[in-house]
Structures are given as structure tokens and as C-alpha cells.
Amino acid sequence: MALLPNYSGYTLEAGIDEAGRGCLAGPVVAAAVILPPDYSHSLLNDSKQLSHKQRLQVRVDIVRDAVAWAIGEASPAEIDQVNILQATYLAMHRAIAGLAREPEYLIVDGNRFKVYEALRHTCIVKGDGKYLSIAAASVLAKTHRDEMMCALAKEHGAYGWERNAGYPTKEHRNSIAQYGATQYHRQSFRLLSEEQLPLFPTKES
């Protein structure tokens, strides 16, 4: 099914999406994208439906064609301080604030959003597979975050971030168990599986 160019009817409608909510390490990243009202793209889709090569190709087109786009981040420390949901809102708000054009309306992937400066918005479940601007935001957020994690992997090569992007893979958790957590890990998350947690003697033993 072809993705739709607009939800609200407003010309400056921004699509919002995030990447990295479920990761054990690294920031949560959000993107905001305003596309031309009549925009179309044969390949643009939810970033999870595209290959790595396709995402990079589409990103070039989005950056070139968008009326405005911006990236926002919330750090692991901020995630630990305010929780992942609030940190996701923070990253989204920073992305919206970074737009060169003020949006008239926001369409947000998912089912929850914290109001930003009284801008009208609609949350759309699986919106990155329905609307072009949200799909564009998903591509920008994911490619930006993946590149960040590849850069961080050069500092901490044991965790495979260039492959797992900080997600809770077996490889990643095994490395945490072996080498411990870094400053980029989210201390408020369960970093180890139950099988990897150390066993402490009980008072009865």
C-alpha cells in the first residue's frame, strides 16, 4: 500500500518518530520531518522495512527534498533520570524545536505524545507504515542513531554496537556480563538477563 502524503490538510505538517527506545546503551533519537504537500517517493517506507543500503539512499533524498528536518536526542543519563518515555518526549521536542520552519500540525508515530507548545497533534499507531513524513522521520532517526553507535563502538569495541546498535542481543548482554557496563549504558534498564544475574546467598543459607 502506498504511503499517504498528508493527514491533517495543513501544508506544514511534521512527521515525528524515534529510534532506540528499547536499547540498553546509547541515546534515544527522534526526528521531525516536513515534506512538500505533494511529495512522493517510490522507496520511502518504515525504516524497519528497508535494508541498510536503502535507508542510506532514502536519507539523501529526504534531506534534499524536505521543507525542513531536524534530529533530537536524549542521553543515557537523561533516560536514567526521567525514564525512557519522558526521555523520548524530550528527544521529540528537541527535534521539533530544531526545525527551520515552524510546523502547523504534528503526526506522531505510536499512541502517546506529550504536547509541545500547544501545537495540535495526532498519534498514529504504526504511522511509519502509513504516512510519508513519519516514515521519513523513522529513516532519519534510525540512520543517525546507527551511525552514532558505530562511532561509540570504536571506543568500546567489546559490545558489538556496530552490529546490534545497543539493542539487548545475546552478544551484547554477554559482553556486559564479561566486561561490565560503560557510561553509555542505561543504568535504569535491566542490562543482564535473569540467568546472568549473580546469585547472592540468602539469610537461610
Side-chain angles (χ1 to χ4, degrees):
M1 185 180 70
L3 274 61
L4 300 172
N6 191 277
Y7 171 86
S8 66
Y10 287 96
T11 299
L12 298 178
E13 177 183 87
I16 316 294
D17 203 1
E18 56 76 28
R21 277 189 64 176
C23 294
L24 303 180
V28 60
V29 173
V33 180
I34 302 174
L35 294 173
D38 58 349
Y39 192 71
S40 64
H41 195 291
S42 60
L43 190 58
L44 179 54
N45 202 340
D46 170 11
S47 65
K48 296 184 290 296
Q49 303 301 318
L50 303 176
S51 68
H52 174 69
K53 183 178 180 180
Q54 288 173 327
R55 285 193 292 269
L56 295 180
Q57 177 185 339
V58 169
R59 179 176 66 174
V60 172
D61 295 339
I62 295 167
V63 170
R64 180 194 64 216
D65 299 338
V67 174
W69 65 273
I71 300 289
E73 305 169 11
S75 70
E78 289 174 321
I79 293 168
D80 291 336
Q81 182 177 5
V82 301
N83 77 45
I84 185 58
L85 179 61
Q86 297 302 319
T88 301
Y89 295 153
L90 181 60
M92 289 179 170
H93 288 182
R94 286 170 174 168
I96 298 165
L99 289 169
R101 299 286 300 277
E102 183 177 351
E104 300 169 294
Y105 200 93
L106 308 174
I107 53 174
V108 185
D109 186 59
N111 60 4
R112 287 189 284 186
F113 181 68
K114 188 174 183 179
V115 174
Y116 176 78
E117 293 190 354
L119 276 174
R120 286 187 288 182
H121 75 273
T122 296
C123 294
I124 302 173
V125 175
K126 297 184 179 178
D128 48 6
K130 298 175 182 176
Y131 290 92
L132 286 167
S133 61
I134 301 180
S138 77
V139 169
L140 294 191
K142 179 164 179 53
T143 54
H144 180 86
R145 190 179 185 282
D146 284 353
E147 289 176 351
M148 289 186 67
M149 295 309 294
C150 285
L152 292 178
K154 294 178 181 179
E155 297 179 35
H156 299 278
Y159 300 91
W161 292 338
E162 71 280 11
R163 294 182 295 277
N164 60 49
Y167 281 92
T169 62
K170 182 177 181 181
E171 171 196 33
H172 190 182
R173 281 197 153 125
N174 285 343
S175 295
I176 296 171
Q178 182 174 357
Y179 301 107
T182 70
Q183 70 268 38
Y184 301 112
H185 281 98
R186 303 172 184 179
Q187 303 299 326
S188 55
F189 279 44
R190 176 179 282 184
L191 299 179
L192 300 176
S193 66
E194 290 188 6
E195 293 79 9
Q196 293 170 315
L197 292 173
L199 297 176
F200 296 99
T202 63
K203 291 183 180 180
E204 289 77 17
S205 60

